Amino acid sequence: ETGVTQTPRHLVMGMTNKKSLKCEQHLGHNAMYWYKQSAKKPLELMFVYNFKEQTENNSVPSRFSPECPNSSHLFLHLHTLQPEDSALYLCASSQDEGSDYGYTFGSGTRLTVV
Amino acid sequence: GQSLEQPSEVTAVEGAIVQINCTYQTSGFYGLSWYQQHDGGAPTFLSYNALDGLEETGRFSSFLSRSDSYGYLLLQELQMKDSASYFCAVRANQGGKLIFGQGTELSVKP
């Protein structure tokens, strides 16, 4: 357990489904991130939230919709996904957006779109 | 564009020393970090270099040369549990996000 908890660990969904990924941290961090990890590719930043405000959307398609109700919780709402969206989705947090003390990652949600 | 280059795979034997290199090309530079990720697990923070030189933490050391846009992670006295993927990451501007390399898969053999 890293201090950042992601649920579910695994998710299989059809292209017409709607599902949500959840991330929770109680480390007192103010910044939270969603990353996409595909095989043999660098981690791709999707969204950044700092003090509950979205500070970055890295040209992510609108079928991915983030929500940050408070500094401890981050959601990624999914709808009408494509098979190429199958990947490991990682949530991370840090003290602040510019923290030098490293990110704490969750174990990820392995998403398969069928 | 911004990019980080690191070898895709490295193999070594138990007890040996291995060096994983990372070269970067970014618009700015505010530090180089290293993360370890075991298969199916979360990436975990290993080290951070903002200034030139070597930082040592137990069996792991990390080096940075800003003039060469280059750094490396040195793992000594390799153990089987060190088999994992290792990612370098650069912060390209103050307060900015981390940009990750594609990762190096390290296999430690008996």
Side-chain angles (χ1 to χ4, degrees), chain A residues 9 37 45 56 99-100 103 106, chain B residues 35 37 40 42 48 91 97:
Chain A
R9 288 297 306 272
Q37 186 176 29
L45 180 70
E56 182 143 358
S99 174
D100 292 336
Y103 290 7
Chain B
Y35 287 78
Q37 184 180 28
Y48 172 74
R91 186 182 308 284
K97 62 184 183 290

Side-chain angles (χ1 to χ4, degrees), chain A residues 4 25-32 71-72 93-96 102 104:
Chain A
V4 175
Q25 59 92 6
H26 295 288
L27 300 169
H29 289 171
N30 299 308
M32 296 187 77
S71 292
S72 299
S93 69
S94 64
Q95 186 61 54
D96 297 292
T104 302

Side-chain angles (χ1 to χ4, degrees), chain B residues 24 29 49-55 62-70:
Chain B
Y24 57 88
F29 180 82
N49 294 66
L51 302 176
D52 291 350
L54 189 69
E55 296 280 343
S62 56
F63 172 82
L64 175 65
S65 169
R66 288 173 296 171
S67 61
D68 296 321
S69 298
Y70 163 76

Side-chain angles (χ1 to χ4, degrees), chain A residues 7-8 10-22 34 63-67 75-81 109 111-113:
Chain A
T7 54
H10 300 273
L11 178 63
V12 179
M13 60 185 289
M15 289 188 282
T16 58
N17 291 160
K18 289 185 180 181
K19 296 286 184 183
S20 296
L21 310 185
K22 180 181 176 182
W34 279 116
R63 57 186 184 268
F64 295 91
S65 175
E67 178 189 0
F75 295 89
L76 187 63
H77 303 301
L78 316 171
H79 65 97
T80 59
L81 294 190
T109 294
L111 174 67
T112 303
V113 181

Side-chain angles (χ1 to χ4, degrees), chain B residues 69-85:
Chain B
S69 298
Y70 163 76
Y72 65 72
L73 180 69
L74 189 73
L75 298 85
Q76 304 182 72
E77 301 172 20
L78 280 175
Q79 302 175 10
M80 298 296 289
K81 66 179 183 180
D82 297 329
S83 293
S85 291

Side-chain angles (χ1 to χ4, degrees), chain A residues 26-46:
Chain A
H26 295 288
L27 300 169
H29 289 171
N30 299 308
M32 296 187 77
Y33 313 82
W34 279 116
Y35 278 86
K36 177 183 179 182
Q37 186 176 29
S38 303
K40 307 299 184 187
K41 292 178 68 176
L43 275 72
E44 301 172 50
L45 180 70
M46 300 175 73

